[in-house]
Amino acid sequence: MRRMTTDPAGDRALPLRERKKLRTRRALAAAALRLFGDNGFDKTTLEEVAEEAEVSKSTFFRFFPAKEAAAIEAEAELWTAYLTSLAGRRLSGAILGELHHTLAAAVAGLDPGWDQRFLATRRLIIAEPALLKYVEHYRAGVRSQVIAGLAGKLGLDADDLRLHLLAELVTTAFSVSGRYWVHHDGQGGRPALLERFDEAIQAIPASLDLSALPVTTRRRPAPGRPGPRTPRCPGPVRVARAGPGRRAGRPVR
């Protein structure tokens, strides 16, 4: 796997100590992606990741609780930026649009090297079912924080079904967009990812209105079996006149 830069470009505004911590964190994440991609996730130990990044095992645990967390760091960067932006945003207007713009702004504000880290992370997740499960659990935690944040800002109960649906819709819209972007090897760069995300959000109302016209078709009989019998239309009925031995009104066939 190609080595990715760990230099925190775009983070020069941070204090020197924070920049060093960020550099170490990204070095560990980059080492994890390289080793997991080359040797497989299960066959790579945490000690090997720490050694590859030239840090101690204890240093690793100061940044990540497990090697799964190091593997999905690009995902974590995205959702952490989203939650941070949402916490500081003053909501105004439709909440779906607010969440859309908040997440889009968070993606746009990530450092230039994030694109390649995210692509490598998603490819690794596709190949490793254990990581996919970990990511799903991580995103569930993100949705819970979004719901709690919205409930506080809007003065609603956290069990309000609308909040759960909104949090789920926005997360799913980005996930669908990200899969498409990764499938096309990140073609078009981050602008293409954001454009696809816009399209996914815009498709939500149209998707809810999507319907199918009822189709009535006659069932075709199975081969070798007769079809349903068509009722025969009865012919005209003559009514006999009253006469010897006959009752009036009795039909004559």
Side-chain angles (χ1 to χ4, degrees):
M1 180 181 293
R2 184 179 62 182
R3 286 182 174 265
M4 291 169 288
T5 178
T6 58
D7 181 38
D11 296 301
R12 295 297 177 183
L14 294 173
L16 178 60
R17 184 176 180 179
E18 294 302 315
R19 292 205 306 269
K20 287 182 177 180
K21 289 171 62 176
L22 183 58
R23 188 178 297 115
T24 301
R25 185 182 186 91
R26 288 182 179 168
L28 281 165
L33 282 177
R34 285 196 301 272
L35 293 178
F36 296 157
D38 293 342
N39 307 326
F41 178 77
D42 292 331
K43 294 182 180 180
T44 303
T45 65
L46 188 150
E47 289 80 4
E48 290 172 333
V49 173
E51 182 179 354
E52 176 76 3
E54 299 181 346
V55 300
S56 66
K57 184 177 177 180
S58 60
T59 299
F60 178 94
F61 281 117
R62 284 204 295 269
F63 292 95
F64 300 106
K67 66 178 187 178
E68 289 89 347
I72 68 158
E73 174 63 4
E75 281 266 349
E77 288 181 56
L78 161 67
W79 300 114
T80 298
Y82 175 43
L83 292 173
T84 301
S85 298
L86 182 60
R89 187 180 183 96
R90 185 175 181 179
L91 302 180
S92 176
I95 302 304
L96 178 61
E98 287 291 298
L99 294 179
H100 167 212
H101 294 310
T102 301
L103 182 50
V107 174
L110 295 169
D111 71 277
W114 177 83
D115 299 50
Q116 290 302 318
R117 295 197 301 273
F118 183 76
L119 287 169
T121 298
R122 293 306 306 176
R123 293 185 184 115
L124 180 62
I125 291 171
I126 291 171
E128 298 287 350
L131 286 179
L132 179 59
K133 186 176 181 179
Y134 190 87
V135 167
E136 290 174 348
H137 176 75
Y138 183 88
R139 288 182 179 176
V142 171
R143 289 192 294 270
S144 296
Q145 293 183 65
V146 170
I147 292 166
L150 290 176
K153 289 177 179 291
L154 300 174
L156 297 173
D157 192 286
D159 289 332
D160 192 307
L161 188 58
R162 294 170 297 177
L163 302 183
H164 290 255
L165 289 172
L166 285 167
E168 190 78 44
L169 283 171
V170 174
T171 304
T172 301
F174 183 83
S175 299
V176 170
S177 307
R179 284 197 297 269
Y180 179 88
W181 189 62
V182 172
H183 179 72
H184 290 81
D185 297 320
Q187 185 177 0
R190 203 175 309 181
L193 172 61
L194 291 172
E195 181 179 357
R196 187 71 176 182
F197 181 41
D198 290 345
E199 293 172 353
I201 292 292
Q202 293 169 12
I204 291 175
S207 301
L208 298 178
D209 291 336
L210 188 63
S211 62
L213 294 175
V215 179
T216 56
T217 56
R218 297 180 62 182
R219 296 181 60 185
R220 303 180 66 178
R225 298 185 61 181
R229 296 180 60 183
T230 302
R232 297 180 60 184
C233 180
V237 176
R238 295 185 297 108
V239 179
R241 294 182 178 181
R246 290 184 179 178
R247 297 175 59 184
R250 187 175 183 180
V252 177
R253 297 293 182 181

